[in-house]
């Protein structure tokens, strides 16, 4: 069974930083493309970005609102991806989900349970 | 601001057919496949339909997807009480280089 478990959420002040983790199991992680998606309270889904497998170049793509502030990375030895969030704004408050892109380039077949990030002074 | 537009709500009685529309443009739905996700309150989204009309294993066949031009639709035939949920369409947008979600539709079973 494929499982994704996010961690690292919490309360942070505007301008601060936070690093989220997503631990994966049950999938061929070295081949996996992975994504982050967020959902502000009471709002819809918003794609944050993705990281391709190393075999596909290991490159990243980001949504415009987070480009230049957020960085997605991966550690294949730990079967994990990370979301480094810098210069956080109140608008970044959301539940952050990681997801396995089982059908590239973008179909997210398995999702984690999410981790809540609150940006507030 | 989402680039894919869905009606905010849809409803039907048990057994009825409900259809949800998703309107986009040539840079997203018009040139890339559409996926649909189902989300119950407080839980993670679940893939319901991929590549316009493909159901992943385990998804009931009362759910079906279609696409024409720059619009797509999700149909639920034989509506059941457990289908009461939020539904989102999504597609890759070549102009934005972004995976864009629809505004979401809340389905209520009357």
């Amino acid at each position: 069974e494929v499982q994704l478990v996010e961690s690292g959420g919490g309360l942070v002040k505007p301008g601060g930083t936070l690093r989220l983790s997503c631990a994966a199991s049950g999938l061929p992680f070295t081949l996996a493309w992975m994504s982050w998606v967020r959902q502000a309270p009471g709002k819809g889904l918003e794609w944050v970005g993705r990281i391709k497998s190393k075999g596909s170049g290991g490159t990243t793509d980001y949504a415009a609102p987070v480009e230049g502030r957020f960085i997605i990375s991966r550690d294949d030895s730990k079967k994990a991806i990370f979301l480094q969030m810098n210069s956080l704004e109140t608008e970044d408050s959301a539940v952050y989900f990681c997801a396995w892109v089982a059908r590239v380039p973008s179909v997210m077949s398995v999702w984690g349970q999410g981790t809540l990030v609150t940006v507030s002074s | 601001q989402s680039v894919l537009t869905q009606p905010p709500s849809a409803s039907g009685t048990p057994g009825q057919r409900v259809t949800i529309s998703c309107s986009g443009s040539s840079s997203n739905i018009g040139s890339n496949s559409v996926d649909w996700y189902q989300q119950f309150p407080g839980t993670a989204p679940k893939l319901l339909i991929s590549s316009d009309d493909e159901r992943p294993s385990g998804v009931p066949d009362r759910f079906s997807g279609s696409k024409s031009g720059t619009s797509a639709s999700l149909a639920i035939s034989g509506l059941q009480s457990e289908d009461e949920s939020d539904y989102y369409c999504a597609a890759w947008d070549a102009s934005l280089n972004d995976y864009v979600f629809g505004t979401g539709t809340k389905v209520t079973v009357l």
Side-chain angles (χ1 to χ4, degrees):
Chain A
E1 180 193 6
V2 177
Q3 278 198 317
L4 301 173
V5 179
E6 302 94 336
S7 60
L11 174 64
V12 60
K13 288 182 168 52
T17 66
L18 204 60
R19 188 185 192 225
L20 306 184
S21 301
C22 171
S25 61
L27 66 142
F29 190 79
T30 56
L31 302 177
W33 293 28
M34 303 291 292
S35 282
W36 288 97
V37 175
R38 67 184 181 183
Q39 186 170 37
K43 303 296 185 182
L45 301 172
E46 180 184 24
W47 183 78
V48 172
R50 70 179 177 191
I51 185 165
K52 300 177 182 177
S53 64
K54 284 193 167 54
S56 295
T59 55
T60 51
D61 297 291
Y62 300 94
V66 307
E67 179 101 51
R69 298 188 299 125
F70 289 12
I71 299 171
I72 300 174
S73 60
R74 66 189 296 152
D75 185 334
D76 286 356
S77 67
K78 295 181 179 176
K79 295 187 180 180
I81 65 166
F82 308 96
L83 180 64
Q84 176 68 41
M85 302 186 293
N86 303 317
S87 303
L88 282 162
E89 305 166 353
T90 55
E91 294 78 18
D92 296 317
S93 295
V95 173
Y96 284 74
F97 299 98
C98 70
W100 174 34
V101 182
R103 179 180 290 195
V104 300
S106 50
V107 180
M108 291 174 275
S109 301
V110 179
W111 297 61
Q113 84 289 351
T115 187
L116 177 63
V117 172
T118 302
V119 184
S120 174
S121 55
Chain B
Q1 183 94 12
S2 177
V3 299
L4 301 183
T5 303
Q6 299 178 233
S9 63
S11 63
T13 56
Q16 276 190 327
R17 176 184 171 92
V18 169
T19 301
I20 301 168
S21 61
C22 175
S23 178
S25 68
S26 58
S27 64
N28 42 66
I29 294 177
S31 53
N32 293 292
S33 60
V34 178
D35 311 311
W36 291 89
Y37 299 88
Q38 177 189 54
Q39 185 183 32
F40 296 101
T43 70
K46 168 192 169 184
L47 179 65
L48 201 62
I49 297 287
S50 67
S51 302
D52 300 337
D53 58 7
E54 296 182 11
R55 276 189 312 278
S57 173
V59 173
D61 59 8
R62 65 178 182 275
F63 292 95
S64 63
S66 62
K67 187 178 85 171
S68 178
T70 58
S71 293
S73 293
L74 173 71
I76 310 174
S77 302
L79 191 66
Q80 298 187 7
S81 57
E82 59 260 38
D83 299 332
E84 192 161 284
S85 183
D86 294 322
Y87 295 84
Y88 294 89
C89 59
W92 189 261
D93 189 294
S95 294
L96 299 173
N97 198 36
D98 191 329
Y99 188 62
V100 292
F101 285 95
T103 47
T105 299
K106 182 176 181 60
V107 168
T108 302
V109 181
L110 302 171

